[in-house]
Amino acid sequence: MPTTPAIDSDERALLEQLAYTTKDKKTADRIRIILALEDGYRPADVARIFRLDEDTVKKWRNKFRKRRLLTDWLAAATLAS
């Protein structure tokens, strides 16, 4: 069961494209975190995969939940880097 709100197919396609085309590694990793959570990985598993603290994974999951508009979320992610 995903630990983030369901992402529709259009949003997922856009996230996947952005994850591979963005030049900012941190932003790409944040997108991949959301995709991994959507694929059913637990925050602890994602943290291990990305070599992050579990709290960091949860922080980005929560930011994504609060900012469901993709552009708002990515803009905040880019500014935070």
Side-chain angles (χ1 to χ4, degrees):
M1 168 185 270
T3 58
T4 190
I7 296 173
D8 66 34
S9 60
D10 291 337
E11 188 175 21
R12 183 176 184 90
L14 182 56
L15 284 171
E16 288 174 347
Q17 179 184 6
L18 289 171
Y20 290 103
T21 59
T22 187
K23 295 179 187 212
D24 180 48
K25 182 186 179 324
K26 288 182 179 183
T27 299
D29 283 347
R30 290 171 184 148
I31 294 168
R32 289 184 183 111
I33 286 168
I34 297 304
L35 292 172
L37 292 169
E38 177 66 20
D39 287 343
Y41 287 93
R42 295 176 308 141
D45 298 330
V46 176
R48 243 187 330 277
I49 292 166
F50 286 90
R51 303 180 120 184
L52 297 170
D53 187 80
E54 187 175 350
D55 288 339
T56 302
V57 172
K58 289 178 181 178
K59 175 180 84 173
W60 286 105
R61 177 194 61 195
N62 293 338
K63 284 187 179 204
F64 183 76
R65 283 180 176 165
K66 288 179 183 173
R67 298 179 183 171
R68 285 300 287 159
L69 292 178
L70 180 63
T71 53
D72 290 345
W73 180 73
L74 286 175
T78 303
L79 291 174
S81 342

